[in-house]
Amino acid sequence: MYKFFSENNNIYINGIEEFDLPHTLDCGQAFRWKCDENGVWSGIAGNKFLKLEKLSDGTVVLYNTNETDFNNFWKNYFDLERDYTQIVKKLSQNPTLKAACEYSYGIRILNQEPFETLCSFIISQNNNIGRIKGIVERLCENFGEKIDGGYAFPTAEKMASLTVEDLAPLRSGFRAKYLIDAAQKVANGEVDLYHLRYFPLEAAQQELMKIKGVGPKVADCALLFSHHQDRAFPKDVWIKRAMYTLFDGELPDCATDYAGIAQQYIFFYARDTKLLTNE
DNA sequence: TCCCAGGCTCTCT
DNA sequence: AGAGAGCATGGG
């Protein structure tokens, strides 16, 4: 279990297992984190700007944040209460999953804000990660609240007041109409975005799929990355290739309870190694 | 120039 | 219910 202390308005965390910053922050689950040339990461989540880095002794430092924000927000955001060592051990019962876990070591599933995650993965459809980041950034700059360090992700209420034409500066293409529909249905309560972690998985998927442009894959990403639905298993092109090439079409039984977490390890492994084909 | 990207909708069998 | 075209945009 980790320990932390606060000093000079920084939080120092010791003894975290399975927490690699590049793998966690740049594996395609979140789109607003950047790394500078010194290995310091910065990003915005939950209307807060954060800088962090991992020191050579393994200490993770969160800069310019206090104990209250750590306990109320970042601890959960980085999923620090979860024992990933146990999960990796369980997944590693399968040799291929073991290889994926070793390659993708230190990926944690972030607990992100639901509306931001939903919009991000609406934007992700038939798109590439570099371009997704650009569209998300323009969305925040144009319509998000100005905060210290940048712009917050816009609220559903704010976006529900906009039109497809208003979103032209994003250059998000056909996805703009989906973003507006999502904002309206969340803002007017037609979609209950804030209790989905308590829904059975299939009901939660159906709830999200009331939104235009949200199919099974986008729904599963939203559920996994912002609603603690660990059995959601988003199937994108890379996972489909991996399932065919590495697993003969079926996820091993040892991954059932943590299918979503396994998915993220497989996704990173497959995309990074580029060893896969569609055949 | 064509192909592809963390897919989905719409239409036609 | 299943297959296939079309979709906006930009990088390789």
Side-chain angles (χ1 to χ4, degrees):
Chain A
M1 196 53 184
Y2 70 93
K3 292 191 165 91
F4 75 95
F5 63 92
S6 175
E7 192 176 284
N8 299 328
N9 208 33
N10 300 325
I11 299 283
Y12 296 81
I13 314 168
N14 297 306
I16 307 181
E17 295 175 338
E18 303 288 341
F19 189 24
D20 182 78
L21 298 187
H23 286 179
T24 297
L25 300 176
D26 208 21
C27 69
Q29 61 174 322
F31 302 99
R32 300 200 69 195
W33 291 99
K34 278 183 281 199
C35 187
D36 71 13
E37 61 277 7
N38 300 315
V40 179
W41 288 85
S42 59
I44 292 170
N47 294 356
K48 295 184 228 310
F49 175 80
L50 182 72
K51 274 183 183 291
L52 74 163
E53 72 174 315
K54 192 170 195 177
L55 306 178
S56 53
D57 70 354
T59 302
V60 174
V61 190
L62 312 187
Y63 291 106
N64 292 95
T65 190
N66 55 49
E67 211 166 317
T68 305
D69 281 349
F70 175 73
N71 279 319
N72 291 344
F73 187 77
W74 295 114
K75 183 170 72 176
N76 177 57
Y77 181 82
F78 292 115
D79 209 20
L80 297 184
E81 301 295 296
R82 175 131 67 174
D83 185 353
Y84 278 79
T85 304
Q86 276 304 115
I87 294 171
V88 167
K89 191 174 164 190
K90 173 86 175 165
L91 295 178
S92 296
Q93 289 174 5
N94 173 276
T96 306
L97 277 176
K98 182 172 163 48
C101 288
E102 283 172 1
Y103 187 88
S104 316
Y105 69 91
I107 294 181
R108 287 176 165 267
I109 303 298
L110 301 172
N111 292 305
Q112 303 182 66
E113 199 285 319
F115 185 66
E116 170 174 348
T117 311
L118 173 62
C119 291
S120 297
F121 283 93
I122 286 173
I123 291 166
S124 79
Q125 66 177 262
N126 201 32
N127 213 339
N128 62 68
I129 290 182
R131 199 162 161 270
I132 297 163
K133 290 179 178 175
I135 295 171
V136 169
E137 200 51 39
R138 291 190 288 278
L139 176 57
C140 296
E141 287 169 0
N142 279 280
F143 305 110
E145 183 194 347
K146 180 84 182 81
I147 60 172
D148 269 353
Y151 293 87
F153 198 91
T155 63
E157 288 70 24
K158 168 68 182 178
M159 282 175 60
S161 73
L162 303 173
T163 64
V164 169
E165 292 71 39
D166 293 329
L167 297 189
L170 308 187
R171 304 197 299 280
S172 61
F174 61 90
R175 305 166 192 85
K177 56 183 178 292
Y178 301 152
L179 291 172
I180 298 295
D181 191 57
Q184 290 175 348
K185 284 177 178 158
V186 169
N188 72 19
E190 192 173 334
V191 168
D192 178 5
L193 190 60
Y194 298 98
H195 299 91
L196 292 177
R197 72 178 287 184
Y198 306 109
F199 282 43
L201 178 56
E202 196 169 330
Q205 290 163 334
Q206 292 306 318
E207 183 72 8
L208 287 173
M209 285 165 60
K210 291 178 183 171
I211 297 164
K212 282 183 213 150
V214 177
K217 193 279 176 177
V218 170
D220 279 344
C221 283
L223 291 168
L224 177 62
F225 298 132
S226 59
H227 298 285
H228 298 82
Q229 292 273 4
D230 300 332
R231 296 169 76 121
F233 189 76
K235 293 188 202 62
D236 71 335
V237 290
W238 294 100
I239 289 296
K240 285 173 183 165
R241 289 170 192 160
M243 293 313 290
Y244 183 86
T245 311
L246 302 175
F247 294 101
D248 220 20
E250 198 85 17
L251 198 63
D253 287 341
C254 65
T256 304
D257 288 341
Y258 301 108
I261 298 175
Q263 190 273 3
Q264 200 52 211
Y265 288 104
I266 298 165
F267 173 78
F268 187 84
Y269 179 61
R271 190 170 66 93
D272 223 41
T273 54
K274 299 187 192 304
L275 289 174
L276 306 163
T277 69
N278 291 308
E279 301 301 317

